[in-house]
Amino acid sequence: MTGWRRKLQQLASWCREAFRGSGGLKVIVAKELADHFSSTRMSILFSLVAAACLSALYVGALTIRETVGEQDTAYVFLRLFTTGGSSLPSFISFMSFLGPLLGLALGFDAINGEYHRRTLGRLLSQPIYRDDVINGKFLAGIIVLATMIVALGLLVAGLGLVMIGVPPRGEELARMLLYLLVTLVYVSFWLSASLFFSLLFRQTATSALAGVATWLFFAIFEPMLAGIVADGLFPAPEDAPAVQQLRNAVVRQNLSRLSPTVLYDEATVTLLNPGVRTLGPVMVQQLSGAIPGFLPLGQSLLLIWPHVVGLLAMTMLIFALAYYFFMHQEIRTS
Amino acid sequence: MGARRPIIVTENLTKQYGQVTAVKNLNLEIYEGEIFGLLGPNGAGKTTTILMLLGLTEPTAGRALVAGLDPTRNPLAVKRIVGYLPDNVGFYDDLTARENLLYTARLNRLPREEGQRRVEAALEQVGLGAHADRRVREFSRGMRQRLGIADIIVKDPRIIILDEPTLGIDPEGIRELLGLISRFSREEGKTILISSHLLHQVQQVCDRVGIFVNGSLLAAGPIESLGRQIMAGKPLEIELQVEPLFGEVLSLLASLEGVEKVEKQGPYIRLRCAKGKDIRPRLTGLLAERGISLLHLRARGYDLDDIYLEYFQGEGRI
């Protein structure tokens, strides 16, 4: 009677010990947040992205004011984000291009910086779990990114409101918030990638370069590569049969979707432009008889659901890899 | 010391990195309240041993027990009672000394006020009170080392592990540091493990030392008994300085019974006795008879330097 009771108590206390955590996570997150917010690096980056996005907004708003009479006025508020001018690209293309830089800049020296300063040994000899360190750094990075993205998004929305004077409808607001959320996931992907590089390479400069290289590869070269591979597998000259051309297009698109940048671009365009009804190739027959119109939010979400899941999965995968490496790495400094 | 019980025990502790064996079947006992010096050349496996004691590296075989706890299974409980000053300690350069220590206090889940109190006290104790609000990037090597000690004081652990604490600081700094260390042991009853390859410095404060070469512990014990252990079965070597020193002295010494070899080295004369013989009792009388005064006499092999050299030259064959 007392025997199993004691066993039960032991089990309970073991569970408490195992799941309670050390409390180290909170402390590390707080410290990393303070570091990020007071760092020069952060202010430079934020200024860069803010300047780019605000100028995009300004040009976009001017374009909208010029053309608003010619087009219909539906979803004018969302067009603030997607409209560029002749001289500047739109807000979303800036975000898609510069967002990775934010994530990379926050993480590229996360772990090897600690090695470099020789603080890791001292940090890990405190009564905290080892994974508190990497979890704390990731979490703090996400909080900083979320703060920046939401601040930027709301800033643009507010200024845009002043400039074009058309208040957003509920659906437009929802679409904008979802867009910010997807952006956060996308930027977190780059944060986890840079964390991973900071574990892989002992030199901070190397890991920063590796991050930038990966970013350029996915943003520019991967889609090109997808085209080359598709052309090689299913050559589609002008006079090729439609089936062949369709195959070529589908393969090209699916291959290019291996890049998180492509996934993000497709997802955000669909979110912010309700006029986007499909992301794949469309046959002329399919279009005949179709009534052009806007997709409701639910349908747009359905369209990009795989994209969002894919982005999340990539983020998780890279973070899991980083986590694994960190837990198995020797902490010897020399 | 009364009834001494070991607080750190290792049982056949072994660590392999691929083909390389960093630590081989280490059996070590460190008693509560003593200062133990782990001495050995660079790359002997000292740091690896320490990391295993802290649960920061998993042993390949064998186990360690720190205050009865296995650091591999229960790292948090071990890390709560052990303070560790790593080799070449680092701090967050952009934070001030005080902020760095407060971070440690928070990681140890000290209540806010208690943490602040301990940080102030620790900074005073190591003589950094006036520099508390300076950024660590401006600190010299010696100041960083002292800040590292303050870091441990804030944690107030039962066991303190110092990895090469005297490396790269000036003699005055070393003296202060060792003073602090022996105070911890004498006044607060802390157990202290110092790893070092600089024996002179550590010799002064250690109760016991262990000689650690190529991953194996060659000998452990108080310094005097280590000398006897090593010199047992070896011919006695005597180093002496006499005045006046003329050629005859050498031949006189060589003619003594039991002397195997005499040679002159600078101002010193070196005598090697035959195995098992000790001519020292007869030496002074002999010299006095001839009106030669003895300035210096030393039997080699009884201080750490000789022990150390003997071990390293012997590549651990002893």
Side-chain angles (χ1 to χ4, degrees):
Chain A
M1 168 72 186
T2 48
W4 65 262
R5 186 173 246 172
R6 199 168 56 238
K7 272 208 182 102
L8 216 63
Q9 274 173 354
Q10 275 170 358
L11 186 73
S13 75
W14 180 84
C15 287
R16 259 203 308 279
E17 183 69 26
F19 296 108
R20 190 188 53 192
S22 62
L25 186 65
K26 232 168 43 190
V27 179
I28 290 177
V29 169
K31 189 243 169 204
E32 292 294 322
L33 278 181
D35 277 1
H36 283 318
F37 282 122
S38 59
S39 75
T40 327
R41 186 196 303 172
M42 214 58 252
S43 2
I44 292 175
L45 262 179
F46 187 73
S47 321
L48 172 74
V49 176
C53 290
L54 288 179
S55 45
L57 164 82
Y58 180 72
V59 173
L62 283 188
T63 315
I64 290 174
R65 268 154 81 159
E66 277 166 23
T67 58
V68 77
E70 301 151 27
Q71 298 173 345
D72 71 295
T73 54
Y75 296 104
V76 165
F77 176 72
L78 287 183
R79 268 198 263 149
L80 270 176
F81 292 91
T82 53
T83 313
S86 50
S87 52
L88 269 180
S90 62
F91 178 86
I92 58 166
S93 18
F94 264 125
M95 212 50 186
S96 146
F97 194 64
L98 293 179
L101 205 58
L102 288 178
L104 289 174
L106 281 181
F108 76 90
D109 64 347
I111 305 294
N112 53 15
E114 299 267 351
Y115 274 106
H116 209 65
R117 287 187 300 250
R118 296 175 166 278
T119 41
L120 195 63
R122 202 169 52 84
L123 182 60
L124 287 177
S125 74
Q126 307 302 336
I128 54 169
Y129 288 115
R130 193 164 183 163
D131 58 351
D132 285 340
V133 175
I134 190 161
N135 292 345
K137 283 182 183 277
F138 191 53
L139 216 59
I142 288 182
I143 293 175
V144 172
L145 290 173
T147 315
M148 281 172 54
I149 289 168
V150 170
L152 262 183
L154 294 183
L155 194 66
V156 165
L159 282 177
L161 214 58
V162 173
M163 288 182 72
I164 60 173
V166 181
R169 289 182 295 126
E171 190 191 324
E172 284 177 298
L173 263 184
R175 278 177 183 268
M176 187 197 81
L177 290 178
L178 282 172
Y179 161 73
L180 294 181
L181 196 68
V182 173
T183 305
L184 179 62
V185 174
Y186 175 60
V187 177
S188 302
F189 167 80
W190 291 102
L191 175 68
S192 67
S194 70
L195 258 179
F196 179 60
F197 287 134
S198 87
L199 273 161
L200 224 48
F201 304 109
R202 277 293 157 91
Q203 295 298 323
T204 49
T206 316
S207 70
L209 263 180
V212 170
T214 319
W215 165 46
L216 289 180
F217 174 78
F218 278 132
I220 299 171
F221 298 113
E222 210 274 347
M224 290 196 316
L225 227 60
I228 295 170
V229 172
D231 283 344
L233 286 177
F234 305 101
E238 287 289 307
D239 53 349
V243 180
Q244 186 83 350
Q245 291 203 358
L246 188 64
R247 256 200 206 134
N248 177 294
V250 169
V251 168
R252 174 192 305 248
Q253 189 174 35
N254 284 340
L255 279 180
S256 71
R257 277 176 179 164
L258 288 176
S259 155
T261 311
V262 173
L263 284 184
Y264 171 74
D265 285 344
E266 288 189 356
T268 48
V269 162
T270 312
L271 266 179
L272 288 182
N273 185 355
V276 173
R277 295 157 59 94
T278 174
L279 291 166
V282 183
M283 309 292 272
V284 184
Q285 298 98 303
Q286 290 173 310
L287 276 180
S288 71
I291 305 158
F294 298 113
L295 281 187
L297 178 57
Q299 292 301 310
S300 290
L301 273 182
L302 214 55
L303 203 57
I304 62 156
W305 201 245
H307 296 69
V308 177
V309 172
L311 273 177
L312 265 175
M314 282 183 189
T315 311
M316 302 283 221
L317 190 72
I318 301 286
F319 182 69
L321 266 179
Y323 184 92
Y324 178 83
F325 264 81
F326 183 68
M327 297 306 274
H328 288 81
Q329 200 167 43
E330 291 294 336
I331 64 148
R332 305 219 43 169
T333 40
S334 48
Chain B
M1 291 242 172
R4 307 211 301 171
R5 65 201 170 86
I7 190 163
I8 298 178
V9 180
T10 68
E11 293 164 359
N12 294 320
L13 196 65
T14 301
K15 176 71 185 182
Q16 280 179 315
Y17 291 109
Q19 294 292 312
V20 186
T21 307
V23 177
K24 260 182 274 190
N25 289 323
L26 178 65
N27 286 297
L28 193 66
E29 283 194 344
I30 297 173
Y31 299 101
E32 179 129 41
E34 77 172 342
I35 305 184
F36 188 90
L38 197 57
L39 302 178
N42 293 326
K46 290 169 294 179
T47 304
T48 309
T49 306
I50 289 173
L51 292 181
M52 285 192 282
L53 290 179
L54 284 162
L56 295 181
T57 289
E58 258 180 61
T60 313
R63 64 169 187 166
L65 285 177
V66 176
L69 299 162
D70 186 337
T72 313
R73 300 239 178 107
N74 213 339
L76 238 53
V78 169
K79 289 194 272 188
R80 260 181 220 123
I81 56 165
V82 180
Y84 170 49
L85 178 70
D87 165 22
N88 200 351
V89 64
F91 287 92
Y92 299 102
D93 286 340
D94 287 334
L95 302 183
T96 64
R98 180 182 282 123
E99 285 167 344
N100 265 296
L101 295 191
L102 281 173
Y103 186 39
T104 303
R106 281 200 302 273
L107 285 172
N108 281 285
R109 314 194 75 183
L110 296 178
R112 181 182 271 273
E113 259 109 70
E114 170 74 3
Q116 278 166 351
R117 201 182 54 70
R118 279 201 207 177
V119 167
E120 296 309 320
L123 283 168
E124 282 307 322
Q125 207 174 335
V126 299
L128 287 175
H131 305 286
D133 290 315
R134 274 175 68 189
R135 290 188 180 203
V136 178
R137 74 163 81 236
E138 302 164 7
F139 277 24
S140 69
R141 186 71 214 266
M143 288 165 86
R144 276 167 199 261
Q145 206 70 16
R146 276 190 281 163
L147 191 58
I149 299 282
D151 194 57
I152 291 177
I153 299 176
V154 168
K155 192 170 174 178
D156 193 25
R158 268 171 76 191
I159 303 170
I160 299 176
I161 297 183
L162 309 166
D163 197 354
E164 299 281 5
T166 58
L167 208 63
I169 37 180
D170 55 46
E172 179 64 13
I174 291 174
R175 209 181 50 75
E176 278 174 23
L177 188 80
L178 293 179
L180 267 174
I181 291 171
S182 49
R183 231 180 29 238
F184 284 143
S185 167
R186 310 281 175 264
E187 290 171 15
E188 301 182 34
K190 311 262 186 228
T191 309
I192 299 173
L193 171 63
I194 305 178
S195 115
S196 182
H197 68 274
L198 300 166
L199 28 143
H200 281 298
Q201 300 161 358
V202 174
Q203 186 176 7
Q204 310 158 18
V205 292
C206 289
D207 298 318
R208 289 195 310 143
V209 297
I211 308 270
F212 203 52
V213 180
N214 283 335
S216 305
L217 190 71
L218 297 180
I223 289 160
E224 319 83 69
S225 80
L226 268 191
R228 277 200 294 281
Q229 218 172 312
I230 294 160
M231 292 305 154
K234 294 215 152 222
L236 179 68
E237 275 188 37
I238 298 167
E239 192 180 81
L240 66 156
Q241 196 181 1
V242 293
E243 204 183 70
L245 177 58
F246 42 88
E248 264 175 63
V249 181
L250 291 185
S251 50
L252 172 75
L253 290 171
S255 69
L256 266 174
E257 195 212 327
V259 173
E260 240 175 24
K261 198 173 149 200
V262 180
E263 61 183 3
K264 192 165 165 287
Q265 265 189 353
Y268 300 106
I269 300 169
R270 277 198 173 189
L271 284 182
R272 182 171 341 129
C273 302
K275 250 189 186 166
K277 300 264 177 158
D278 190 349
I279 59 148
R280 278 178 297 179
R282 285 182 286 140
L283 200 59
T284 35
L286 181 79
L287 291 172
E289 275 172 29
R290 313 279 150 115
I292 302 169
S293 44
L294 189 60
L295 300 180
H296 166 93
L297 178 83
R298 190 173 80 101
R300 288 196 59 225
Y302 289 96
D303 70 13
L304 204 49
D305 232 1
D306 298 325
I307 298 169
Y308 207 56
L309 261 179
E310 195 66 41
Y311 273 122
F312 292 171
Q313 284 168 350
E315 294 287 322
R317 273 186 282 104
I318 302 159

